[in-house]
Amino acid sequence: MKNFVIIVEIVKEKSGLLLSLLILLCLVYLSGLRVDFNTQAYISVLLLTLLMSIRPIKSLGFWRVLFVTLSSFIVLRYFSWRMTYTLVYEDFFSYIGLIALFLAEVYGGLMFFLSIFVNIRPIHRTPVPLPSDKSSWPSVDIIIPCYNEPVDLVKITLAAARNVDYPAPKLNIYLLDDGGTAEKLNSPDEKSRESALARSLQLKRLCKQLNVSYLTRTENVNAKAGNLNSALKHINGDLILVLDADHAPAVDILKKLVGSFIQDEKVFLVQTPHFFINPDPFEKNLNLYHRMPSESDMFYKGIQPGLDFWHASFFCGSAAILRRKAIDEIGGFSGKTITEDSETAIKLHSKGWKSHYILYPLISGLQPETFDSFIIQRMRWAQGMVQNLIFNNPLFMPNLKLAQRICYLSNMLFWFFPFARLVFIISPGLFLFFGLKIYHANIMEFFIYTVPFLAVLFLTSHYLFKNVRWAFVSEIYETMQALFSIRAVMAVLINPHKPRFSVTPKMERLDQDLISPLSQPFYWALGYTLLAACFGIWRYSIFPDERPLITVTFFWALLNLLLLLATLGALHERRQRRANPRIPVDIKANWLSKTYSDTDSNPDAFNERRGRRINPRLPIQMEASLFTESTIVAVEKRIPVIIKDISLGGGSIHSQLELPNQHKAEKIFIEVRNGNRLDCYPVSITNSVKKDDHYIYGVKFLYSDLNDYLKIVRFIHGDSSRWVKIYEDTANDPGLTRSMFFMVRIGFSHGFSHIFVVLKSYFKKLVNVYV
């Protein structure tokens, strides 16, 4: 039976590839047929109408294939026209610009086809249940590599790991401290040496308290991969759960993932999404957090399930379990590149091992909180994936399946986007400033070839990723990174061995709003684009014969202007005072207690007004109340409360009843009922305000010992269903048009706010100089 299932899977995969190749060959042939302008116009209108009709249909079968087939035909038709009619030599400089623009378009077209191949049929696996006999469960080592992260941050992850629900004899936890190596402790710099020693001693004490094994090594060789490989000498579990130092696991992470390894002995990896509880700089500075899908959602909720269909989902460095036997087969974690995760995965795929991706958030992590740290992270990813392309090119890697080669190629080539993005920013100015003929087309050709092509790019992206990526968001993120990533990618192409692993800073704080010091390149880009638009107006009045093309190019420049303004808005850093981000929750009031007056409130109405939402897919609903223990009167008073947000430091609670003054009560507790589980957390009231018919209180969690701390960490980070609910709440699609106008408005408002702050600061300095 098992062999039959394997044969069926192989047949399905081969037939899917053959069908894709057959469709592609037919499209290439048809796209090259020559027709007159009227026929091409009719074809474009007809196909766009069909695409608009198919778009609302939710299907992973025939209709999805039909949609990408029709869109692919329009794209191929466009490139057939471009290569045949528009690559005309006029003069040297115009031809250089023409070829640069065409190559940027070819890159975009290649990524379009790779993307639709990867995402043609995403699969959504469900966790495999563990057998009832616990003695058959494999042993697991949880390893948490760290380098220079704050001790308080590492403490959260270690505590969350201690809370993981798994048989104790089969579970071991290790902290891999690369900041406490002999090399670091004997640094010639006295300040660095003392800092490393103090941090190392703190972490050793913490590990002893939490019953976690502390490991370090002699030298910091091969960065994270070297740290992981050094730990392999000291651990011997069947499976390895890798967690970054800022990735706190949910209590059920092992019970949801380990079953896949028991079910299939050829599985080397079960990867889960990286779920983040704080906004990145774009979301924070443009006030978009939880109003739209996170930037990482496109990869973890869209692309990885698509890769999984082709058996090409890969290791993302954390929130994943790996089989020790497979790691040993390739001699440990690969460390030739600075993205050891994808490098390890491609080597294991080439050995015939399988990977699974389960779209269920089981960790809560932190994203970069400033633009500086965001760029550090993305430059490392870009350099590592380009290194992978050079050292582990999937086209030449032995034993990979064809689909896996295409999938890995898509992941690696994506990071060349800075070149295309820079060309698209510069190109309008080449015509509007200098009159270079870089796009040979009349206005009729533009409307029957170029407009349908651009429309298809937006429609297809929205069709494939509508619940995980809004319109224009990808373009803004690419613009934010392009001016920095292009230098990083060029450095790798010049010297592939040069890049060094850089740890992304975490738990950063900003006491006040400020302009990112990395803003200056964008001022030049904005100034260039603005001048190009002004020259466009001048050229429009001087060259009446060119007005149609000038108009098109002018609007292209305006689009670039919008993207740059949105980028500037994201570079206006908003203050960040909390080290622990607040997590939105909606733990409803527990009205089961009878110690309050039943006539005081209407529980149903209160919960309804506070926006309580019951998700039928979540099996358990939490309920909360607050009670006090008085030292004056031997009586407890319980007050139903709704918990609206929480963090390790505290939270926000709402109640219709006024809480007693804290000085009248010795202890105040929040009581949370989760099914049959009842937990009490000591708190203090830090602030209060009355709003409409209810009170809002800020509370601070109090803990006197390690057990209290573990319990609070479990409450904050242990419930994976909370992350599922946030995932579902942010998976919204306002529609292509509405999302585009929304991003336009956001870009203008925040971009001009950035410019206003810069000008205000400049004139203030000017006044100080002359006064």
Side-chain angles (χ1 to χ4, degrees):
M1 183 64 183
K2 185 177 180 180
N3 291 334
F4 176 75
V5 172
I6 293 173
I7 292 171
V8 170
E9 287 183 357
I10 293 174
V11 170
K12 285 171 62 180
E13 180 183 349
K14 297 295 184 183
S15 61
L17 282 170
L18 290 173
L19 179 61
S20 300
L21 290 173
L22 181 61
I23 291 173
L24 181 60
L25 290 173
C26 292
L27 291 177
V28 170
Y29 171 75
L30 293 173
S31 66
L33 296 178
R34 296 186 178 186
V35 296
D36 58 38
F37 280 177
N38 289 335
T39 304
Q40 177 61 32
Y42 293 143
I43 290 173
S44 297
V45 171
L46 174 62
L47 293 182
L48 286 175
T49 303
L50 287 173
L51 289 175
M52 293 297 291
S53 302
I54 298 171
R55 196 162 61 102
I57 302 174
K58 297 180 180 179
S59 170
L60 292 179
F62 170 77
W63 293 109
R64 191 177 181 93
V65 173
L66 179 61
F67 186 96
V68 299
T69 300
L70 296 178
S71 60
S72 297
F73 176 76
I74 293 178
V75 172
L76 285 172
R77 187 79 185 153
Y78 170 78
F79 279 108
S80 175
W81 165 74
R82 280 284 275 137
M83 289 187 292
T84 307
Y85 295 102
T86 67
L87 303 182
V88 179
Y89 182 89
E90 288 215 4
D91 61 79
F92 176 77
F93 292 107
S94 291
Y95 196 67
I96 293 296
L98 180 149
I99 293 299
L101 177 59
F102 179 68
L103 290 177
E105 290 184 73
V106 168
Y107 168 80
L110 176 62
M111 294 310 301
F112 170 84
F113 287 112
L114 290 175
S115 178
I116 62 175
F117 176 84
V118 168
N119 296 281
I120 190 66
R121 182 112 186 218
I123 61 171
H124 298 283
R125 299 183 190 270
T126 56
V128 177
L130 285 165
S132 56
D133 180 13
K134 293 185 179 181
S135 64
S136 65
W137 295 8
S139 57
V140 180
D141 293 321
I142 300 179
I143 58 175
I144 304 166
C146 69
Y147 180 65
N148 60 358
E149 295 85 354
V151 174
D152 288 343
L153 177 62
V154 178
K155 183 179 180 181
I156 296 171
T157 304
L158 290 177
R162 289 302 314 164
N163 286 328
V164 168
D165 187 10
Y166 204 73
K170 292 179 176 287
L171 179 64
N172 291 291
I173 305 171
Y174 299 88
L175 178 68
L176 319 182
D177 182 21
D178 234 17
T181 61
E183 179 183 337
K184 291 290 183 182
L185 298 180
N186 294 284
S187 170
D189 182 74
E190 183 180 356
K191 186 176 180 181
S192 299
R193 184 171 64 248
E194 291 177 352
S195 175
L197 179 60
R199 183 178 179 277
S200 174
L201 292 174
Q202 282 182 284
L203 289 175
K204 286 178 180 178
R205 284 195 296 268
L206 179 60
C207 287
K208 186 176 181 179
Q209 293 171 348
L210 289 168
N211 193 26
V212 170
S213 299
Y214 175 90
L215 299 176
T216 188
R217 53 181 175 147
T218 305
E219 297 179 322
N220 298 84
V221 180
N222 285 339
K224 184 178 178 181
N227 193 8
L228 297 175
N229 287 330
S230 176
L232 293 179
K233 304 171 187 176
H234 304 279
I235 66 178
N236 55 16
D238 301 314
L239 305 176
I240 302 171
L241 169 60
V242 183
L243 296 170
D244 281 347
D246 61 313
H247 282 188
V251 296
D252 54 346
I253 185 169
L254 294 182
K255 287 189 172 180
K256 279 193 163 58
L257 303 183
V258 169
S260 295
F261 293 92
I262 299 175
Q263 183 188 61
D264 189 343
E265 293 182 355
K266 288 300 292 179
V267 170
F268 82 89
L269 167 74
V270 177
Q271 178 68 57
T272 65
H274 292 186
F275 175 82
F276 300 108
I277 57 175
N278 70 315
D280 67 22
F282 176 81
E283 295 168 323
K284 182 185 72 173
N285 299 332
L286 297 184
N287 192 29
L288 295 174
Y289 190 48
H290 286 160
R291 299 172 66 185
M292 58 178 282
S294 178
E295 189 258 352
S296 62
D297 285 1
M298 183 172 177
F299 177 74
Y300 287 110
K301 297 167 71 175
I303 294 173
Q304 275 279 42
L307 294 171
D308 202 23
F309 174 76
W310 299 111
H311 306 290
S313 57
F314 62 89
F315 180 35
C316 298
S318 180
I321 301 182
L322 300 103
R323 193 183 295 273
R324 174 63 186 269
K325 180 181 177 181
I327 297 298
D328 288 341
E329 184 177 320
I330 60 170
F333 292 91
S334 301
K336 193 171 185 179
T337 74
I338 57 174
T339 48
E340 81 296 328
D341 40 20
S342 61
E343 183 185 356
T344 300
I346 192 172
K347 288 186 176 181
L348 285 168
H349 276 134
S350 71
K351 295 288 186 181
W353 289 91
K354 299 178 183 178
S355 62
H356 285 181
Y357 180 73
I358 295 180
L359 180 53
Y360 194 101
L362 289 163
I363 62 96
S364 49
L366 297 178
Q367 301 187 89
E369 292 165 307
T370 65
F371 188 70
D372 300 48
S373 55
F374 176 83
I375 289 298
I376 289 172
Q377 182 190 67
R378 300 311 166 96
M379 286 174 66
R380 185 181 80 241
W381 292 355
Q383 290 187 317
M385 293 305 277
V386 174
Q387 280 183 307
N388 248 332
L389 181 64
I390 294 171
F391 296 132
N392 304 294
N393 194 308
L395 296 179
F396 308 110
M397 178 76 71
N399 302 322
L400 281 179
K401 299 174 183 177
L402 178 59
Q404 291 175 323
R405 296 181 192 277
I406 295 172
C407 289
Y408 273 107
L409 188 66
S410 174
N411 297 326
M412 296 172 185
L413 289 181
F414 166 78
W415 293 99
F416 287 88
F417 73 82
F419 295 97
R421 183 57 55 190
L422 192 61
V423 169
F424 293 145
I425 291 174
I426 293 173
S427 292
L430 296 180
F431 175 63
L432 298 177
F433 272 131
F434 309 110
L436 299 184
K437 302 296 192 296
I438 63 173
Y439 196 93
H440 287 273
N442 58 43
I443 196 65
M444 176 64 73
E445 290 171 326
F446 176 80
F447 277 105
I448 65 174
Y449 286 104
T450 308
V451 170
F453 166 70
L454 296 174
V456 160
L457 295 184
F458 276 104
L459 286 173
T460 305
S461 177
H462 181 255
Y463 180 76
L464 296 177
F465 305 111
K466 59 185 175 183
N467 289 322
V468 295
R469 178 60 55 87
W470 285 12
F472 276 129
V473 172
S474 291
E475 287 75 15
I476 295 172
Y477 271 101
E478 289 183 6
T479 304
M480 288 171 61
Q481 300 173 63
L483 300 183
F484 300 98
S485 294
I486 194 168
R487 291 180 294 175
V489 173
M490 282 296 297
V492 179
L493 295 176
I494 295 170
N495 184 357
H497 298 277
K498 184 179 180 180
R500 295 292 180 264
F501 191 97
S502 298
V503 177
T504 307
K506 298 291 170 64
M507 294 187 84
E508 296 177 287
R509 298 189 189 185
L510 295 175
D511 292 327
Q512 60 185 7
D513 294 356
L514 57 84
I515 299 299
S516 171
L518 298 180
S519 298
Q520 189 169 1
F522 297 98
Y523 298 151
W524 289 104
L526 184 72
Y528 170 85
T529 305
L530 190 59
L531 280 175
C534 294
F535 264 77
I537 297 172
W538 170 80
R539 183 173 287 273
Y540 187 89
S541 62
I542 299 298
F543 300 100
D545 294 340
E546 297 181 351
R547 283 178 179 176
L549 290 180
I550 292 172
T551 302
V552 170
T553 313
F554 176 78
F555 279 102
W556 184 2
L558 288 185
L559 175 61
N560 286 339
L561 197 65
L562 169 66
L563 295 177
L564 290 166
L565 282 172
T567 299
L568 286 181
L571 289 167
H572 186 190
E573 303 273 19
R574 307 299 176 177
R575 68 180 184 179
Q576 172 64 37
R577 293 182 176 178
R578 288 195 178 103
N580 298 299
R582 290 290 177 95
I583 303 165
V585 296
D586 201 5
I587 302 176
K588 64 188 183 72
N590 181 1
W591 293 88
L592 300 178
S593 172
K594 299 300 180 182
T595 57
Y596 64 91
S597 171
D598 290 337
T599 60
D600 286 342
S601 309
N602 181 341
D604 293 332
F606 181 52
N607 279 320
E608 182 67 26
R609 282 196 299 271
R610 302 273 31 92
R612 178 169 62 91
R613 175 186 173 189
I614 297 177
N615 188 329
R617 280 174 282 187
L618 302 183
I620 297 173
Q621 287 295 313
M622 287 187 177
E623 296 177 325
S625 60
L626 184 143
F627 71 90
T628 64
E629 290 181 353
S630 175
T631 57
I632 303 173
V633 182
V635 65
E636 292 182 355
K637 182 175 181 181
R638 293 179 186 274
I639 301 171
V641 295
I642 289 179
I643 303 178
K644 300 301 292 183
D645 63 60
I646 53 176
S647 73
L648 198 64
S652 172
I653 63 174
H654 294 198
S655 178
Q656 275 193 300
L657 306 178
E658 186 175 8
L659 305 183
N661 292 328
Q662 189 172 357
H663 69 273
K664 294 182 181 179
E666 184 180 20
K667 295 181 180 179
I668 301 179
F669 298 87
I670 289 180
E671 182 180 77
V672 178
R673 183 180 297 278
N674 190 353
N676 295 325
R677 183 184 179 93
L678 183 66
D679 290 304
C680 296
Y681 307 96
V683 298
S684 63
I685 307 297
T686 57
N687 57 74
S688 63
V689 62
K690 190 171 191 275
K691 184 177 181 180
D692 299 328
D693 61 342
H694 65 281
Y695 298 86
I696 302 175
Y697 296 93
V699 300
K700 178 182 178 181
F701 288 115
L702 306 174
Y703 50 91
S704 56
D705 56 34
L706 194 58
N707 287 331
D708 283 347
Y709 183 82
L710 287 169
K711 198 163 68 169
I712 293 170
V713 169
R714 181 188 179 99
F715 177 47
I716 306 299
H717 296 281
D719 184 7
S720 62
S721 65
R722 182 176 296 142
W723 314 143
V724 173
K725 183 178 186 299
I726 294 175
Y727 251 15
E728 293 173 345
D729 288 346
T730 55
N732 59 82
D733 173 31
L736 186 59
T737 305
R738 287 184 61 189
S739 61
M740 288 176 65
F741 279 110
F742 177 79
M743 294 310 301
V744 168
R745 180 172 58 83
I746 289 291
F748 270 109
S749 61
H750 288 271
F752 281 116
S753 173
H754 177 120
I755 294 171
F756 175 77
V757 170
V758 171
L759 292 176
K760 182 179 178 182
S761 174
Y762 173 77
F763 284 117
K764 186 176 180 180
K765 290 179 181 178
L766 204 63
V767 169
N768 290 337
V769 169
Y770 288 99
V771 174

